[in-house]
Amino acid sequence: MGNLIKIWIIVFFFLLPLPLLGEGYTPENQLDINHATLLEIERLPLSKQDALSIYNYIYYRSYLKSIYDLRKLPQIDQEEFNRIKPLIKIIPVEEGSEELRRRNAIYYRISQWASTEGTNEGLVDTWTDIALSPLNVNTASLYDLMNLQNVSPVDALAIIKHRQRAGRIASRSELRRVPGLSGWGYSNARYFLRYTPKEKGREIHGDYQVRLYNTPLDNDLMDIFHEDIVAKSGEHESWYNRLKLYQQRPAFTNKLRLRWGNHFKLGLLTHRSQGEKEEAKIQYIKEGGPTLGNRTIFSLRIPPTLKWYVSLEGLKWRGFSLQRVVLGNYMLAFGQGLVMENTDFFKPRKSGFSWDKRYIGVLGDLSRTEEFALRGVALQGSWRTIDGIFFYSNDRKDAVLNPDGSVYSYIIMTPKMENKERERYGLLPMRDVLKETTYGGHLRYSPILGSHIGLSYYESLYNRWFDPQTATVVSRTDKLTTTDSEIYSLYKSPGKFRRFYGADFQTIYKNFSLQGEYAVMDTAGSPFKRNPWAIVLSGYLQYENLNLLILYRNYGLSYDNPYCRAFSNYPRFKGTILEDEYYLKDPWYGNLYDNSVTPQPEEGIYLSSRYRIAERLIPQIEFDNWVRKADRAHYSRVVAKLEYRLIYPLRFKLRQKWQSRNWSNGLTPTSFEEVSTRLHLDARLSGYDDLDFIYVSGHTKWPPRPRLVNNPEADGGHPVSGQASQPTEALGAMFTHNFNENLTLKAFIGIYNGFFWTFEDNEFLVLDGHSYRYWFSIADRLSPNLSVRFKYTLDRSLPRSYVDARTYKNEPWEKDPDAWNVREFTPSFRLQIDYNW
């Protein structure tokens, strides 16, 4: 690695002389102003304010048909006009609908959203819809603005108060001058707001997306697949072989959305996860008797995941506003996520602010969430100072069953295993074995602008009892420790139901926002009796260049809410025996931890701050200190970030992390200490090209383990072995080149050794091993309505040893992955096609 670092440094200094700034405009090199970005217009001999006025006029009013249209702007006087006239050219543009014009203006941002997966996947559709059909800033409610990406409660209230004082906000430049609205809030809100009423009409707009990919699953899931299972015949098998996961079965997604006017929406999604077999088949067979035989009248294949919704939005009648009613699949969240937020994806430290936004309300759902998807009907409305959400869902869920037919727990399977596969090996079914009927609601009262109190409730009815029988899952009960009290504390139902109550509040005063939520799980027959509980409190302070977030959370060990997605560092079962699939009766039960999405029972305080000292210098700090409830283990996490801009195109980023589990707790036999450093150098070239370098170094240490070796020192000192340290090192470079405004190429080359997380063209990946890694992606907007994005990756692992393993049968590697050679090539691809109209 040392020689590689030297090579990269030499390459970097050779690349420094590359042009970092674009050339100026001349009569021979004129600017196509109808297609220019704001940055390109600012390079004209104009003030920044005048450049912004031209940009707003072109993208939010009309393209220029003549160079003399610039004189229509009151900000452009004759002297300025004479200066820029020889430097610009007018290329006529065929204007389509308002939605198409906005899509053209913010295509880059929409394309970034469209390739997002996981926790924010469901919100992407909403952000895209709002960006294409923006909220009227002069009629939007406080909560509409608070739901926008990276818009804080303080920002939202500042906009509402300015609107009340001024009567209306007439333009983007006026929005920027709103007192109390931060620059960060403005830069994000501007994409979602308009300043005049929406055009009335019944135009039909829509978009269709197809996505095909075979990105390798993470190492923890691969361990589950490869863990040996002793079959009835006595032979050792694995789910990898049983399910033939060595066969290429990429993930395949189709998504269709339609919008009719401003009130009606419809969506349809089909999805097959990677490794899943052919879709279920429905046939209608007509019996023809002994002579004619049977005939297949029709055959229909249904993918493993099928979701749809129909939504009616934005209706008003006699003071009552029906914001949204959804029939089919919907997403739902309120408060701080303690009572309700339905998603199949865990996001650590989800605070509800900045990039960790939680959309409060009801939305049609076309995300890949299936286990905790809600299907039925939901509505959201308001009357004066009262807002309400009511919902009903009836769906089947995957679950681990006990031998007596009761339920051990919900389970998210990757990939989903059909019941016939399990029954073939004498195992209990999991797929759709639990029928769940869920209903509830949330009421919110706002006595004054910027403050509210809310009450929430939901109840789930089941066709089975819940009973966490540990012997169902764990084969080595002798290995259970105090940490495994999380398993024993799972919900044991007094009946075939589960019930939750919650109360939340928020108040905003000047530049400070205080919010919180308290929830109880009703196990005693009343919410006012002794029940498992959880609480989240947070305060957010914001200035123009400084923000500070402080959050306190405390989750009871027995608070087992399958729809809780509140703030936490780890998911439930972290550190328990469910992490060790080799101690489980079926390795597939390892999905209970690997796909866990509810927060681990913990108590702690989290602090986050960002301070823009100067335009060139921005430090950030995160501090978290918490205790795991199961064994009182003490954790701490500190992340310091520094962004320094040497000159305009050259940006240097440093990220330093310290994380540990305290060794002094006698109930926790192990501790750890993790230190990691990430250096990132970003050189922005002309034409929005970009050159990135990244270097990562770190290690994780565990204390000596004397049980592995006798201590040779009479004085009781450290043993000479039995200790462990896992180093991490990675180095890479990425180049982005824009051939034109429609065609972009990205390429990466790097090497990593150990644990390494990274973003690759909007994919978040966690890697572990010792490999060279190469990838490239091409994004091409073939027409205003059609775009294609393709990514190809090659991961070439290096040998950890030169032992080439073979099983006793000497089976070929296609059937026996444990016999792979010391070197391995892992190619993968990702294809996405988007069409809109």
Side-chain angles (χ1 to χ4, degrees):
M1 291 290 289
N3 292 331
L4 286 173
I5 295 173
K6 294 176 183 178
I7 293 173
W8 282 115
I9 292 174
I10 293 172
V11 171
F12 168 70
F13 280 107
F14 270 107
L15 291 172
L16 270 181
L18 289 175
L20 296 179
L21 293 173
E23 298 177 359
Y25 303 113
T26 65
E28 293 75 27
N29 179 31
Q30 294 178 317
L31 173 66
D32 177 7
I33 197 164
N34 273 335
H35 298 91
T37 64
L38 177 59
L39 184 61
E40 290 171 333
I41 297 176
E42 287 179 344
R43 287 166 53 195
L44 292 168
L46 294 168
S47 68
K48 286 191 174 182
Q49 188 61 41
D50 291 345
L52 179 61
S53 300
I54 295 175
Y55 178 82
N56 287 339
Y57 182 88
I58 293 174
Y59 285 101
Y60 297 101
R61 291 189 60 182
S62 175
Y63 290 109
L64 301 179
K65 298 178 177 62
S66 166
I67 196 170
Y68 296 99
D69 287 345
L70 288 172
R71 292 295 288 119
K72 297 178 181 179
L73 278 69
Q75 297 89 345
I76 306 300
D77 58 29
Q78 188 63 41
E79 182 180 350
E80 288 180 312
F81 177 76
N82 292 335
R83 281 202 308 268
I84 65 175
K85 180 180 177 182
L87 306 179
I88 61 177
K89 59 184 177 182
I90 304 297
I91 296 179
V93 176
E94 182 180 351
E95 297 192 38
S97 65
E98 179 190 13
E99 180 167 316
L100 179 59
R101 294 197 300 271
R102 288 192 62 87
R103 184 179 291 274
N104 291 335
I106 58 173
Y107 168 72
Y108 172 77
R109 182 169 287 262
I110 290 177
S111 65
Q112 295 289 98
W113 291 337
S115 58
T116 302
E117 289 189 357
T119 53
N120 289 332
E121 183 183 3
L123 298 183
V124 166
D125 292 339
T126 302
W127 293 335
T128 303
D129 285 348
I130 298 176
L132 297 178
S133 182
L135 296 171
N136 186 346
V137 70
N138 296 299
T139 58
S141 71
L142 174 66
Y143 301 105
D144 289 334
L145 298 176
M146 285 171 53
N147 273 330
L148 298 180
Q149 184 190 41
N150 286 318
V151 176
S152 72
V154 175
D155 290 328
L157 185 60
I159 294 174
I160 297 295
K161 287 187 173 181
H162 179 78
R163 188 180 73 191
Q164 292 178 339
R165 290 192 301 266
R168 64 186 299 268
I169 298 175
S171 65
R172 178 183 285 193
S173 58
E174 184 178 345
L175 177 68
R176 183 63 189 95
R177 296 193 297 269
V178 168
L181 175 62
S182 66
W184 181 244
Y186 160 77
S187 64
N188 286 275
R190 59 182 175 169
Y191 294 106
F192 304 106
L193 300 177
R194 63 184 305 134
Y195 310 95
T196 56
K198 293 182 179 179
E199 296 177 358
K200 294 183 178 180
R202 297 184 180 274
E203 293 182 345
I204 296 178
H205 295 283
D207 53 80
Y208 170 72
Q209 180 184 98
V210 59
R211 188 181 292 175
L212 184 70
Y213 58 93
N214 66 344
T215 305
L217 300 172
D218 64 62
N219 290 337
D220 289 337
L221 287 172
M222 295 303 291
D223 288 342
I224 292 174
F225 300 155
H226 293 319
E227 184 65 26
D228 283 342
I229 308 170
V230 180
K232 291 182 178 180
S233 61
E235 294 186 357
H236 289 263
E237 298 181 288
S238 68
W239 283 118
Y240 192 89
N241 289 333
R242 285 180 173 182
L243 301 178
K244 299 181 180 179
L245 294 177
Y246 47 80
Q247 296 178 350
Q248 286 294 325
R249 292 193 293 268
F252 186 50
T253 303
N254 290 276
K255 183 190 295 186
L256 173 67
R257 298 191 306 131
L258 297 174
R259 300 179 296 282
W260 183 29
N262 297 322
H263 303 295
F264 182 80
K265 293 181 181 179
L266 180 148
L268 175 68
L269 171 114
T270 65
H271 176 71
R272 182 191 68 203
S273 295
Q274 186 174 345
E276 291 180 352
K277 293 190 175 180
E278 293 296 325
E279 298 88 345
K281 188 174 182 180
I282 296 179
Q283 296 187 93
Y284 175 69
I285 300 176
K286 184 177 181 180
E287 295 184 0
T291 304
L292 298 177
N294 297 337
R295 292 183 299 163
T296 300
I297 304 302
F298 72 85
S299 177
L300 177 65
R301 291 185 179 273
I302 299 179
T305 301
L306 173 65
K307 300 176 74 172
W308 61 274
Y309 72 86
V310 177
S311 175
L312 196 61
E313 304 180 0
L315 300 180
K316 295 184 179 181
W317 181 72
R318 294 187 177 183
F320 176 76
S321 174
L322 182 62
Q323 294 162 292
R324 189 173 289 109
V325 56
V326 181
L327 179 66
N329 289 103
Y330 55 88
M331 292 194 306
L332 181 64
F334 31 77
Q336 302 298 309
L338 274 181
V339 174
M340 174 60 68
E341 183 180 0
N342 64 313
T343 175
D344 282 359
F345 302 96
F346 173 79
K347 192 176 194 314
R349 297 172 294 281
K350 190 172 184 179
S351 62
F353 288 86
S354 189
W355 299 105
D356 299 321
K357 179 71 71 172
R358 178 181 292 109
Y359 191 96
I360 305 301
V362 177
L363 292 173
D365 181 17
L366 293 186
S367 69
R368 290 179 297 120
T369 292
E370 186 193 33
E371 175 69 0
F372 295 104
L374 296 174
R375 176 175 296 179
V377 62
L379 63 90
Q380 179 180 356
S382 62
W383 181 70
R384 296 184 179 178
T385 58
I386 298 176
D387 298 88
I389 296 173
F390 303 95
F391 65 95
Y392 171 86
S393 171
N394 192 316
D395 199 9
R396 286 193 169 271
K397 308 297 182 182
D398 301 341
V400 176
L401 296 182
N402 297 311
D404 61 4
S406 61
V407 175
Y408 178 84
S409 175
Y410 290 87
I411 186 171
I412 300 174
M413 294 188 285
T414 306
K416 298 172 184 64
M417 188 191 305
E418 296 300 327
N419 291 333
K420 62 182 180 181
E421 295 287 350
R422 298 187 60 80
E423 292 167 355
R424 181 182 304 171
Y425 299 101
L427 300 173
L428 293 173
M430 289 185 180
R431 187 87 166 119
D432 291 337
V433 295
L434 177 64
K435 183 179 179 181
E436 178 194 86
T437 301
T438 301
Y439 57 89
H442 180 260
L443 286 177
R444 180 173 60 196
Y445 171 61
S446 304
I448 60 175
L449 182 64
S451 298
H452 78 256
I453 54 175
L455 297 174
S456 53
Y457 164 84
Y458 92 81
E459 182 173 6
S460 292
L461 305 178
Y462 307 109
N463 63 332
R464 300 174 184 269
W465 298 74
F466 274 78
D467 187 5
Q469 300 174 16
T470 306
T472 297
V473 174
V474 180
S475 61
R476 292 293 303 275
T477 55
D478 59 307
K479 296 292 184 179
L480 294 171
T481 65
T482 310
T483 312
D484 297 307
S485 57
E486 278 189 25
I487 300 174
Y488 289 110
S489 300
L490 288 173
Y491 179 64
K492 184 174 183 178
S493 57
K496 297 180 181 179
F497 69 91
R498 195 180 316 218
R499 187 182 301 127
F500 293 87
Y501 299 88
D504 63 277
F505 76 94
Q506 182 175 53
T507 183
I508 308 171
Y509 177 71
K510 294 184 177 180
N511 62 337
F512 179 71
S513 171
L514 179 67
Q515 49 276 318
E517 183 176 18
Y518 175 78
V520 296
M521 181 173 70
D522 184 7
T523 58
S526 169
F528 303 105
K529 295 182 179 180
R530 188 177 181 88
N531 291 295
W533 57 274
I535 188 171
V536 174
L537 296 171
S538 67
Y540 182 78
L541 181 66
Q542 174 180 296
Y543 294 94
E544 175 61 28
N545 295 312
L546 172 68
N547 61 57
L548 174 65
L549 171 67
I550 300 177
L551 183 145
Y552 169 78
R553 75 279 191 190
N554 190 344
Y555 311 137
L557 192 60
S558 299
Y559 184 78
D560 183 15
N561 181 359
Y563 290 98
C564 175
R565 304 294 182 270
F567 181 103
S568 71
N569 272 274
Y570 295 130
R572 197 177 186 103
F573 306 133
K574 172 68 174 177
T576 69
I577 200 170
L578 296 181
E579 251 188 305
D580 304 324
E581 63 277 351
Y582 43 84
Y583 288 149
L584 307 182
K585 289 188 174 180
D586 179 358
W588 205 256
Y589 294 148
N591 281 280
L592 288 168
Y593 162 69
D594 286 328
N595 289 324
S596 176
V597 290
T598 56
Q600 187 166 55
E602 62 185 37
E603 179 182 8
I605 294 179
Y606 171 79
L607 182 148
S608 174
S609 181
R610 179 180 185 269
Y611 181 31
R612 189 182 182 190
I613 297 175
E615 188 174 355
R616 294 186 174 186
L617 186 63
I618 305 175
Q620 292 178 254
I621 185 71
E622 289 182 54
F623 172 77
D624 200 2
N625 195 292
W626 75 99
V627 173
R628 184 168 62 190
K629 287 293 189 72
D631 59 355
R632 307 304 298 173
H634 181 267
Y635 290 80
S636 63
R637 178 180 181 272
V638 179
V639 176
K641 302 177 184 178
L642 180 65
E643 182 177 322
Y644 178 57
R645 197 177 73 187
L646 302 173
I647 55 176
Y648 166 69
L650 202 59
R651 197 177 298 265
F652 173 81
K653 298 177 183 178
L654 170 67
R655 182 183 187 272
Q656 184 69 41
K657 174 186 173 183
W658 300 270
Q659 185 166 339
S660 65
R661 181 170 61 226
N662 199 323
W663 60 270
S664 61
N665 182 4
L667 297 177
T668 304
T670 61
S671 62
F672 74 86
E673 178 185 284
E674 178 188 352
V675 179
S676 65
T677 304
R678 299 176 74 94
L679 299 174
H680 186 178
L681 186 61
D682 182 8
R684 300 186 178 182
L685 314 179
S686 60
Y688 291 96
D689 289 358
D690 200 81
L691 185 62
D692 290 336
F693 295 92
I694 184 172
Y695 174 69
V696 179
S697 179
H699 66 267
T700 303
K701 289 183 178 181
W702 293 270
R705 300 185 181 183
R707 67 180 179 85
L708 300 180
V709 62
N710 291 328
N711 192 336
E713 299 182 18
D715 59 358
H718 294 295
V720 294
S721 62
Q723 53 189 332
S725 178
Q726 179 180 342
T728 294
E729 197 169 16
L731 182 68
M734 185 180 75
F735 177 64
T736 302
H737 176 59
N738 297 282
F739 294 94
N740 52 49
E741 61 183 6
N742 295 321
L743 180 61
T744 300
L745 170 69
K746 294 181 180 180
F748 172 88
I749 180 173
I751 183 173
Y752 64 92
N753 185 8
F755 178 85
F756 175 54
W757 60 264
T758 181
F759 289 92
E760 293 183 357
D761 196 31
N762 300 336
E763 283 186 292
F764 177 75
L765 297 174
V766 177
L767 308 171
D768 194 4
H770 189 193
S771 300
Y772 285 104
R773 189 169 181 85
Y774 320 89
W775 65 264
F776 73 88
S777 69
I778 297 176
D780 191 1
R781 193 181 186 194
L782 302 174
S783 74
N785 303 95
L786 178 65
S787 62
V788 177
R789 182 184 292 264
F790 175 77
K791 174 175 177 264
Y792 181 81
T793 304
L794 179 62
D795 197 279
R796 184 168 68 91
S797 64
L798 299 174
R800 291 183 176 273
S801 72
Y802 290 91
V803 177
D804 191 3
R806 288 285 183 264
T807 62
Y808 66 95
K809 287 185 176 181
N810 199 27
E811 292 181 347
W813 66 269
E814 289 88 351
K815 294 185 177 181
D816 187 1
D818 294 325
W820 285 345
N821 198 281
V822 290
R823 293 180 183 272
E824 180 185 350
F825 291 84
T826 307
S828 61
F829 72 91
R830 179 186 178 90
L831 174 65
Q832 179 175 314
I833 302 174
D834 292 276
Y835 180 75
N836 60 82
W837 63 92

